[in-house]
Amino acid sequence: MKCYTPVIYKGLSPCKPNAIKSAVLQSEQVQYVIKQLAKEMGESPDIIQEEAMEILDEMGHRMQLGAVRFFAFTLSKIFKQLFQRVCVNEEGMQRLQHAIQEHPVVLLPSHRSYVDFLMLSYLLYTYDLALPVIAAGIDFLGMKIVGELLRRAGAFFMRRSFGGNRLYWAVFAEYVKTMLRSGYAPIEFFLEGTRSRTAKTLTPKFGLLSIVMEPFFKREVFDTYLVPISISYERILEESLYAYELLGVPKPKESTSGLLKARRILSDNFGTIHIYVGQPVSLRTLASGRISRCPYNLVPRHLPQKPSEDIQEFVSDVAYKMELLQIENMVLSPWVLVAAVLLQNLPAMEFELLIEKTLWLKGLTQTFGGFIEWPDNLCAKKAVLSGLTLHSNIAGLVDGHVVLNDKGVEDGAVGEIVFRHALAVLMCATYRNQLLNVFVRPALVAVALQMAPSFRKEEVYSCFNFLRDVFSDEFIFFPGISLKDFEEGCFLLTKCDAIQTSQQEIYPTDKGSGTVSFLSAMFRPFVEGYQLIFRYLSKEMKEAFTEKQFIPAVRNFVFQLLEKGSTQCYEALSSDMQKNALSALVQLGAVKKKKTPNGFTYNVNQEAVGKILDMFDARIPVQKPVAARL
Amino acid sequence: MYCCRLGAEWLRSKRPSGKGSPGAGQQRAGVSQCMPRWPRRPKASWPGSAIVWPAELGQELLKWNGWGYNDSKFIFNKKGQAEFTGKRYRLGGMVLPTFKEWIEKTFGASLEHKTTSRASLNVNDVPPPIVNEEFLQDLRATKISYSQDAEDRVFRAHGHCLHEIFVLREGMFKRIPDIVVWPVCHEDVVKIVELACKHNLCIIPFGGGTSVSSALECPEEEKRMIISLDTSQMNRILWIDEKNLTACVEAGIVGQDLEKQLAESGFCTGHEPDSMEFSSLGGWVATRASGMKKNIYGNIEDLVIHIKMVTPRGIVEKNCQVPRMSTGPDIHHFIMGSEGTLGVVTEVTIKIRPVPEYQKYGSVVFPNFERGVACLREVAKQRCAPASIRLVDNAQFQFGHALKPQVASIFTSFLDGLKKFYITKFKGFDPNILCVATLLFEGDREKVLQHEKQVYDIATKFGGLAAGEDNGQRGYMLTFVIAYLRDLGLDYYVIGESFETSVPWDRVLDLCRNVKERIVRECKEKGVQFAPLSTCRVTQTYDAGACVYFYFAFNYRGISDPIHVYEQIERAAREEILANGGSLSHHHGVGKLRKRWMKESISDVGLGMLRSVKEYVDPNNIFGNKNLL
């Protein structure tokens, strides 16, 4: 049996999971809320205390080494079946080992698959590091045995939403903070909140992050390390599941039998996993000079306190920064490049041309700072071929041409054909999507160049700014630095000779027109998709609606257009894009979001949406003069 | 009514031939209540707990470039063992066998790497005085003694911050007082302030010179003549009122003289700041001082009944000497903590108490600092704190241990060994984690013993073990000699300083840990090659919180600008304190060293309130030391 003696936090006071639970229950924070609730509801504190105990039991982990060993054993078997290799950056693991001893550590992995946290725990175990406690969605608990096993492997569970339940929030927050303060184990959760179905990084959620940051704000710990971890899969286990889900075929509930059925995929090959453990980021360093200490000094630390505006802003900034670090360190496989090229050349592309284009895109990606895993000496042909082999369910080689693998296209109804094709496109897009956040700044400049009525800098910037606002939920932008993003985009484009800038103007070079059009084609599905969705909203949605009504309705609308052949934008079928587009309109103020007892309802301001549509369509001149800095 | 002037001896045989002073004999001829005297430094030494007295007279007693008495200092003797010289302190003449090893281990210092201070002040370096002849003429007419001598001026140009001592050893201040005046009574001060207003000059009051907040440094940009107003000759007890237990004292008296003289009548004030050998009553008032035994006697604001202060607007005082009054905001609180920005405190009526019958030291060992703090918190909660109760962390415990003198008998050393065995082996305390609380009880013998039992009972509940009187006494001795230790450190590339704060109970542990950690981290970042000494003690307890005292020192070999590095680290430590909910200062004051945080500490409006007082009282900024605001 493996000897497992992980390094521990220097300030650790060793304790059992049960001791943590009772510490949480007895903490001033939880007791305060219990007393408050008892007073408000006129109930005895004992009853509420019991309720808190139940919450704690439902949520708490019971990490046991035996279970961990069992897990490690089975996982190593399963992983060996599924994946060819798992690559880890060794120096990252070493840095992590140091960090764990020094200060409490929060692991922030990207979330593309259920494999993420299993893999990460397995990895830490293998490297003799303290196993993390993981905030997992409570739906796992529905899985018999497995839920319990996960719990024993260190997972703790949170309800997906508990906005209104103060007791739940108090108990949960205190549980997380107690584990953090005591240095019990690294805490792991996903900034994205849920698995990204599109392999595109989701905009961050702030709740858990602000909980783990609070002990530092209150100086209960000297510092906290945030460790961004990028996990990328050559082939994602759930790829087809995601595609179905995006097209509205409901997600199967997590269940043990479901997991057993998934056994079928055991015989499949899912390629390589790359795990990049980023440099631990000191929260103290991030916060230096940013946080006014007053609010925390003037109120007893156990009282629940709504974070001040500058704290909220800081939490949001940190969240975005961490996601951008995840993106920066995300390993991209050659197949990602192939998928990006292929999607622009449907329905079929000559194999040789595909190789040539892929190689070209590799150079461009590297110029833009993408982190490509391209095995040494591997010729482009082999790389593309091995990608095609691994992803034979998505694309294949037919007569020297690469085509999407949309089986059963010929023998179906029109609807069936569209659906099949959409499925293939969305699956393929999942891989192209991994490039998008690396490309988004230069690409939006490229799109803006084509949209803007002239090459004048301020007009291009104005378009860029508009696109950045519209796509703020689609891609990851650090808040509030539009101009900097624009400058970075321009810089990268200049670097690859795609554009030239003068004092007042930005224009594409002759040599670079290929690059510019490639980039704008890359983002065309989003530009077109958003237009479709906006058009639908401005025409059809006259009354208040909920998200549940909106998604199928807009899907039908797009579906009909696809059937008629009046659009080729299959990606507009993706519920992810539809939701993002809706929330962008909410942020732009063109849609009003209202809270009702049955959730949120939306009201469209047709005129405003129409105006936004015009921005896409017409080359309208800038209204406002923009910053003189341009 | 007493009118005593004990201890106002002639401290120097060398009489400065004060340029322009009208001859000493002539001055002394004019015997009056305001008889001018030749000024010098503090005199006898306070017996206190650990100190032997009296001092010899007739010579320069104090170091010009370091802390305290000339004859008292740490040295390494020929055998390479540490030794404390002089006979003033209990430690005097003793060999400290383990100290060298401690210093080498803690700082990585070595006796071979030595720096040396300049042997004496180089008069040529001293900036020439700015002279206002008309003022001098007027001053001569008042017959108040004064000096423009370089040494006198430099002596009053600084307090005891590290950078100030460093300048004395290796450089020169850019701006120093231009003249030193020695008023001998309230009326003299009134005359000096009037003259300063008339000629628009700057006055910086000087008491004992023990400031650690850069409060005595002259603002470099001050173009007017700077008068250092030395209050040391205003050192009489004017009267003692036994019925009301108050005494009216001139503000220039230093702590040990005050206690000594009161003791002759069977009284004491009980106000014992660590600097009490040298610091003055007026200085205490001006900085809101706190004494070690405040649990019984209170801090300065609790002790003061009446204050007389001379300001450019005139004299400010209350019309009666009462325990409390409701007449709007207490004007005493404009004066206490004003740090010499509003005027000169000349006379103070202070509470006195009968000298206690019995004193007893004590100490308790705790398995760790957390338990110790919990115990102190409980003691504070039950309001049964002894005269003094302090909790030193492990590093400071070891520090104190290193200052243990050679034991005389085999028996004692055997006993020590036995104690150590009992605590570490039998009770399982880790010698690198345990910490010690030192106690001082005072009062009736019976009550003291009763009180002692109560406190030890509480300590037992928190895992504490009584550890003897000796440990306790040594703990308090440390506070008196620590300033001497800094001078020793300076000789071996080790620089250090202390700083303090006050903090609510629930944040004590976090603050201590974080500040110590911040210091260690900053040292590393700033390129300090050796691990620093970063240690703290909880030094006072209150109902709602505690006062925490830090020592911080490091070996600066390999750093080109140690003072700058030191100051950056100290600033970072203060930032850390504030971020942890600690105060800007518990008793050292703000001075110029901590001004930058005043706005944050008391809000914009609060600062404005203080400014408007300053503007009314001193519109021409006669008291221009630029402290506080």
Side-chain angles (χ1 to χ4, degrees):
Chain A
M1 200 184 268
K2 182 174 160 355
C3 172
Y4 174 65
T5 44
V7 292
I8 50 168
Y9 171 50
K10 63 178 177 193
L12 175 72
S13 37
C15 51
K16 291 252 166 2
N18 268 333
I20 288 196
K21 278 190 195 171
S22 66
V24 171
L25 209 58
Q26 295 312 320
S27 69
E28 283 171 316
Q29 285 82 339
V30 171
Q31 286 298 323
Y32 175 81
V33 174
I34 287 177
K35 273 182 206 140
Q36 285 278 309
L37 288 175
K39 216 185 274 171
E40 282 167 29
M41 294 160 33
E43 273 198 71
S44 123
D46 294 343
I47 295 174
I48 297 176
Q49 169 116 356
E50 235 161 75
E51 214 175 297
M53 190 71 215
E54 276 163 28
I55 293 174
L56 208 50
D57 277 335
E58 172 193 88
M59 159 165 78
H61 75 94
R62 272 197 288 278
M63 201 195 277
Q64 285 174 348
L65 207 54
V68 172
R69 286 216 160 91
F70 172 78
F71 243 105
F73 178 76
T74 19
L75 282 181
S76 74
K77 298 288 170 219
I78 295 172
F79 287 159
K80 270 178 198 156
Q81 277 287 319
L82 283 174
F83 304 106
Q84 287 169 344
R85 288 182 304 158
V86 178
C87 301
V88 187
N89 62 331
E90 286 271 347
E91 85 281 1
M93 293 306 281
Q94 273 159 20
R95 285 190 302 235
L96 183 59
Q97 189 183 8
H98 278 284
I100 284 176
Q101 293 170 67
E102 233 181 308
H103 300 298
V105 166
V106 179
L107 304 176
L108 300 170
S110 59
H111 203 10
R112 302 286 172 271
S113 163
Y114 280 143
V115 180
D116 288 329
F117 64 87
L118 297 175
M119 180 51 85
L120 203 54
S121 291
Y122 174 68
L123 192 70
L124 294 179
Y125 176 79
T126 318
Y127 274 82
D128 219 8
L129 293 176
L131 282 177
V133 287
I134 308 152
I138 209 149
D139 28 4
F140 269 113
L141 266 187
M143 302 164 80
K144 282 170 209 146
I145 310 170
V146 176
E148 195 53 33
L149 267 175
L150 281 174
R151 200 195 275 284
R152 293 195 181 188
F156 62 97
F157 298 97
M158 62 189 291
R159 293 182 190 160
R160 281 252 183 259
S161 63
F162 46 86
N165 191 337
R166 270 158 67 199
L167 186 64
Y168 192 89
W169 174 256
V171 172
F172 179 79
E174 190 51 29
Y175 185 66
V176 174
K177 284 187 277 186
T178 304
M179 283 191 291
L180 189 85
R181 279 193 294 253
S182 67
Y184 179 80
I187 289 182
E188 174 184 328
F189 65 90
F190 301 102
L191 274 173
E192 295 165 88
T194 179
R195 293 169 300 160
S196 166
R197 270 56 169 176
T198 57
K200 206 154 43 60
T201 303
L202 302 174
T203 50
K205 304 274 179 294
F206 306 125
L208 255 168
L209 188 64
S210 67
I211 291 180
V212 298
M213 283 160 86
E214 207 183 272
F216 169 72
F217 292 149
K218 293 184 171 172
R219 292 303 192 275
E220 291 163 337
V221 296
F222 182 77
D223 198 353
T224 304
Y225 276 131
L226 306 175
V227 185
I229 298 177
S230 319
I231 308 177
S232 54
Y233 299 86
E234 209 176 351
R235 187 177 160 202
I236 297 167
L237 208 59
E238 294 100 323
E239 56 178 6
S240 60
L241 211 61
Y242 288 160
Y244 276 106
E245 212 180 294
L246 289 173
L247 290 173
V249 180
K251 165 189 170 192
K253 224 177 156 209
E254 273 90 359
S255 70
T256 308
S257 62
L259 194 77
L260 290 176
K261 272 183 213 140
R263 226 162 36 110
R264 192 166 42 86
I265 57 177
L266 275 181
S267 53
D268 227 337
N269 178 9
F270 287 86
T272 308
I273 301 181
H274 285 99
I275 301 179
Y276 189 96
V277 179
Q279 177 86 37
V281 180
S282 150
L283 180 55
R284 175 174 276 270
T285 312
L286 290 177
S288 111
R290 279 211 50 179
I291 304 296
S292 152
R293 35 211 173 204
C294 227
Y296 291 101
N297 286 349
L298 290 178
V299 178
R301 293 187 293 182
H302 67 271
L303 296 190
Q305 224 186 125
K306 194 173 183 304
S308 65
E309 246 166 61
D310 69 332
I311 295 275
Q312 284 178 17
E313 194 188 302
F314 176 66
V315 172
S316 149
D317 284 358
V318 171
Y320 276 99
K321 188 181 167 79
M322 289 299 127
E323 288 204 341
L324 286 168
L325 284 171
Q326 284 177 1
I327 290 166
E328 191 184 312
N329 296 328
M330 189 74 83
V331 173
L332 305 167
S333 67
W335 170 252
V336 167
L337 308 177
V338 174
V341 174
L342 191 59
L343 274 176
Q344 290 190 26
N345 294 279
L346 291 178
M349 188 178 189
E350 205 180 309
F351 184 53
E352 296 300 327
L353 189 62
L354 176 64
I355 293 170
E356 190 190 311
K357 273 290 204 182
T358 305
L359 212 53
W360 169 83
L361 184 55
K362 179 190 167 205
L364 191 65
T365 311
Q366 279 164 340
T367 314
F368 290 169
F371 186 172
I372 301 181
E373 160 76 10
W374 195 288
D376 290 335
N377 311 322
L378 187 65
C379 74
K381 189 173 171 182
K382 270 194 188 150
V384 175
L385 263 181
S386 86
L388 279 172
T389 323
L390 189 66
H391 297 277
S392 54
N393 58 329
I394 298 178
L397 200 51
V398 179
D399 307 331
H401 282 74
V402 178
V403 293
L404 273 193
N405 193 347
D406 36 10
K407 278 175 275 175
V409 170
E410 284 79 17
D411 50 280
V414 189
E416 179 69 13
I417 295 174
V418 169
F419 184 79
R420 284 279 156 208
H421 191 68
L423 211 54
V425 168
L426 284 184
M427 258 155 72
C428 199
T430 307
Y431 294 94
R432 175 214 56 199
N433 283 350
Q434 298 179 27
L435 275 186
L436 294 182
N437 273 309
V438 177
F439 276 63
V440 68
R441 284 159 201 83
L444 287 194
V445 173
V447 177
L449 271 175
Q450 298 187 337
M451 267 173 69
S454 78
F455 289 144
R456 275 173 50 221
K457 240 183 197 176
E458 57 264 40
E459 283 182 331
V460 178
Y461 173 66
S462 163
C463 284
F464 175 87
N465 201 19
F466 163 73
L467 289 168
R468 190 181 179 276
D469 285 345
V470 168
F471 292 134
S472 63
D473 278 3
E474 198 69 49
F475 308 108
I476 305 301
F477 298 102
F478 193 83
I481 55 160
S482 182
L483 189 58
K484 224 176 130 202
D485 281 344
F486 178 66
E487 279 163 359
E488 192 194 321
C490 291
F491 167 75
L492 289 174
L493 284 179
T494 320
K495 207 166 131 193
C496 60
D497 289 331
I499 59 165
Q500 273 188 332
T501 54
S502 70
Q503 207 69 341
Q504 279 92 31
E505 290 195 322
I506 299 177
Y507 44 91
T509 58
D510 299 338
K511 217 174 99 198
S513 61
T515 310
V516 170
S517 59
F518 178 86
L519 290 176
S520 56
M522 192 176 196
F523 282 75
R524 186 161 305 135
F526 295 92
V527 177
E528 283 182 14
Y530 270 57
Q531 280 175 292
L532 283 179
I533 296 163
F534 289 174
R535 201 172 342 135
Y536 172 74
L537 280 171
S538 70
K539 300 259 161 63
E540 312 288 333
M541 287 298 206
K542 301 260 189 303
E543 282 159 26
F545 59 96
T546 64
E547 196 183 271
K548 271 208 181 104
Q549 296 164 326
F550 162 69
I551 300 284
V554 73
R555 188 189 303 129
N556 275 337
F557 172 74
V558 177
F559 210 87
Q560 280 161 15
L561 289 182
L562 285 166
E563 277 179 334
K564 275 189 265 170
S566 52
T567 177
Q568 286 299 311
C569 185
Y570 284 87
E571 292 186 45
L573 285 173
S574 155
S575 59
D576 185 66
M577 185 185 288
Q578 293 154 2
K579 283 179 203 162
N580 288 340
L582 181 62
S583 108
L585 287 183
V586 172
Q587 274 177 39
L588 292 171
V591 170
K592 288 266 170 304
K593 188 175 175 180
K594 254 198 285 184
K595 201 177 176 179
T596 66
N598 314 317
F600 292 102
T601 61
Y602 300 85
N603 263 317
V604 181
N605 177 345
Q606 255 93 9
E607 200 185 332
V609 176
K611 263 191 192 152
I612 292 172
L613 268 173
D614 289 346
M615 290 283 285
F616 275 113
D617 290 335
R619 303 189 153 210
I620 35 168
V622 211
Q623 277 128 26
K624 284 177 285 184
V626 256
R629 269 179 62 193
L630 280 169
Chain B
M1 173 169 144
Y2 295 80
C3 186
C4 34
R5 189 166 251 198
L6 298 173
E9 299 83 0
W10 309 87
L11 295 178
R12 256 196 195 173
S13 47
K14 181 196 131 202
R15 193 58 51 83
S17 57
K19 289 168 216 149
S21 83
Q26 195 190 337
Q27 275 184 16
R28 267 181 296 154
V31 180
S32 70
Q33 219 214 334
C34 299
M35 187 180 80
R37 299 234 166 185
W38 282 108
R40 279 312 75 137
R41 324 265 159 78
K43 300 108 230 161
S45 42
W46 166 239
S49 31
I51 306 165
V52 191
W53 58 327
E56 53 274 50
L57 311 169
Q59 56 171 310
E60 172 87 84
L61 283 179
L62 300 183
K63 294 196 189 77
W64 70 277
N65 64 349
W67 178 262
Y69 299 104
N70 264 327
D71 57 6
S72 304
K73 61 180 171 227
F74 284 95
I75 55 157
F76 285 108
N77 63 22
K78 279 174 195 144
K79 284 193 214 156
Q81 285 177 315
E83 205 180 308
F84 193 67
T85 63
K87 295 199 176 93
R88 292 173 193 278
Y89 298 87
R90 185 159 292 183
L91 208 56
M94 296 220 197
V95 172
L96 315 165
T98 55
F99 187 65
K100 183 179 160 223
E101 194 198 327
W102 178 84
I103 223 178
E104 285 170 346
K105 203 179 91 194
T106 311
F107 297 108
S110 129
L111 296 195
E112 283 142 39
H113 299 283
K114 210 174 164 196
T115 65
T116 35
S117 162
R118 265 195 318 230
S120 63
L121 184 68
N122 186 353
V123 178
N124 297 331
D125 291 346
V126 176
I130 295 173
V131 179
N132 184 319
E133 282 299 341
E134 290 160 18
F135 166 73
L136 276 186
Q137 266 175 18
D138 285 349
L139 182 66
R140 276 182 210 119
T142 64
K143 302 216 159 51
I144 295 168
S145 62
Y146 67 90
S147 159
Q148 289 169 297
D149 175 68
E151 280 182 44
D152 290 332
R153 288 162 51 221
V154 169
F155 188 87
R156 286 159 186 81
H158 66 87
H160 280 272
C161 284
L162 176 71
H163 65 268
E164 294 169 317
I165 300 302
F166 220 77
V167 167
L168 284 174
R169 286 168 65 100
E170 300 189 354
M172 182 39 67
F173 299 106
K174 292 216 175 75
R175 187 77 171 91
I176 66 169
D178 300 306
I179 186 171
V180 182
V181 296
W182 284 276
V184 297
C185 60
H186 172 77
E187 286 70 25
D188 280 1
V189 175
V190 174
K191 283 181 208 157
I192 294 167
V193 173
E194 271 169 9
L195 287 183
C197 291
K198 179 177 163 196
H199 299 283
N200 189 24
L201 308 181
C202 172
I203 298 179
I204 297 184
F206 181 92
T210 57
S211 148
V212 282
S213 58
S214 302
L216 287 168
E217 272 180 278
C218 300
E220 269 174 45
E221 66 283 3
E222 181 59 70
K223 294 285 184 293
R224 300 173 294 181
M225 183 176 184
I226 298 180
I227 305 163
S228 178
L229 191 154
D230 185 322
T231 59
S232 64
Q233 301 312 300
M234 308 191 339
N235 56 8
R236 295 168 301 175
I237 295 179
L238 298 176
W239 46 257
I240 292 177
D241 178 350
E242 297 189 16
K243 290 199 183 71
N244 295 308
L245 285 179
T246 53
C248 183
V249 189
E250 286 184 318
I253 195 165
V254 293
Q256 58 175 325
D257 290 350
L258 177 61
E259 291 300 328
K260 196 178 88 184
Q261 290 171 36
L262 284 174
E264 284 166 8
S265 326
F267 294 104
C268 66
T269 64
H271 185 71
E272 293 185 19
D274 291 351
S275 63
M276 70 167 302
E277 297 165 87
F278 310 107
S279 57
S280 68
L281 175 58
W284 301 338
V285 171
T287 56
R288 293 183 68 86
S290 168
M292 179 178 100
K293 299 195 288 197
K294 72 96 195 153
N295 290 337
I296 295 183
Y297 301 97
N299 289 319
I300 195 73
E301 68 271 20
D302 311 309
L303 286 165
V304 162
I305 295 293
H306 184 265
I307 302 172
K308 198 190 261 185
M309 177 162 81
V310 182
T311 76
R313 277 272 173 199
I315 294 157
V316 54
E317 63 180 326
K318 293 183 185 172
N319 74 330
C320 53
Q321 312 224 358
V322 293
R324 183 176 194 275
M325 56 204 268
S326 176
T327 47
D330 192 338
I331 55 160
H332 282 174
H333 286 284
F334 289 130
I335 299 169
M336 285 188 288
S338 60
E339 303 191 357
T341 57
L342 299 178
V344 188
V345 176
T346 54
E347 286 167 19
V348 178
T349 304
I350 191 166
K351 288 197 237 174
I352 56 172
R353 300 285 307 163
V355 172
E357 173 194 320
Y358 187 63
Q359 255 198 351
K360 193 171 182 193
Y361 288 96
S363 66
V364 181
V365 189
F366 290 97
N368 55 44
F369 194 63
E370 289 75 14
R371 303 286 279 164
V373 171
C375 175
L376 259 63
R377 204 283 161 263
E378 183 62 28
V379 167
K381 200 185 210 168
Q382 297 193 18
R383 292 199 170 164
C384 64
S388 167
I389 178 166
R390 290 174 170 179
L391 181 79
V392 303
D393 69 358
N394 185 267
Q396 212 167 120
F397 160 71
Q398 300 202 4
F399 186 7
H401 219 67
L403 287 174
K404 214 169 176 174
Q406 206 156 25
V407 281
S409 76
I410 297 175
F411 180 69
T412 338
S413 89
F414 171 72
L415 220 59
D416 280 351
L418 209 62
K419 263 190 240 160
K420 193 174 165 191
F421 178 81
Y422 176 71
I423 288 177
T424 60
K425 294 292 178 317
F426 190 72
K427 282 287 174 180
F429 285 21
D430 182 340
N432 293 314
I433 295 179
L434 63 80
C435 72
V436 176
T438 59
L439 311 165
L440 172 61
F441 298 91
E442 216 176 82
D444 301 342
R445 193 184 151 81
E446 227 168 83
K447 275 190 191 144
V448 163
L449 296 178
Q450 211 182 331
H451 193 177
E452 195 186 14
K453 185 172 178 306
Q454 189 188 5
V455 172
Y456 281 106
D457 283 349
I458 295 175
T460 313
K461 278 186 204 142
F462 292 89
L465 289 176
E469 287 186 60
D470 192 44
N471 274 320
Q473 195 162 3
R474 206 171 36 249
Y476 289 101
M477 180 189 67
L478 184 69
T479 46
F480 281 94
V481 297
I482 184 105
Y484 288 100
L485 269 175
R486 183 171 74 187
D487 293 335
L488 177 76
L490 279 168
D491 287 343
Y492 295 96
Y493 289 94
V494 175
I495 49 178
E497 183 96 275
S498 59
F499 52 93
E500 41 72 46
T501 186
S502 49
V503 60
W505 276 115
D506 70 316
R507 294 171 199 251
V508 169
L509 280 176
D510 288 332
L511 180 131
C512 291
R513 182 197 58 229
N514 291 344
V515 171
K516 287 195 278 185
E517 169 116 24
R518 178 76 182 264
I519 288 172
V520 171
R521 205 189 232 214
E522 291 286 332
C523 279
K524 213 185 272 173
E525 274 171 26
K526 301 281 177 319
V528 176
Q529 316 266 327
F530 305 88
L533 172 72
S534 165
T535 159
C536 71
R537 67 167 185 259
V538 178
T539 199
Q540 287 290 8
T541 63
Y542 292 86
D543 286 349
C547 167
V548 181
Y549 208 93
F550 292 90
Y551 291 131
F552 154 48
F554 63 87
N555 180 342
Y556 68 84
R557 262 194 301 140
I559 298 178
S560 58
D561 191 357
I563 293 302
H564 181 64
V565 168
Y566 170 81
E567 281 171 351
Q568 283 179 315
I569 299 170
E570 192 192 12
R571 192 191 305 175
R574 182 58 62 183
E575 289 280 347
E576 193 61 36
I577 285 175
L578 296 174
N580 279 273
S583 64
L584 189 52
S585 170
H586 171 263
H587 59 271
H588 281 175
V590 176
K592 288 179 271 289
L593 194 61
R594 288 177 273 273
K595 253 165 88 164
R596 75 177 82 233
W597 293 289
M598 268 303 270
K599 193 167 116 182
E600 179 186 344
S601 289
I602 62 170
S603 83
D604 260 341
V605 178
L607 205 58
M609 289 160 90
L610 296 188
R611 280 214 181 98
S612 65
V613 171
K614 165 82 179 169
E615 250 156 57
Y616 172 75
V617 173
D618 183 16
N620 297 319
N621 196 27
I622 300 301
F623 287 88
N625 60 15
K626 294 253 172 100
N627 289 338
L628 205 61
L629 298 175

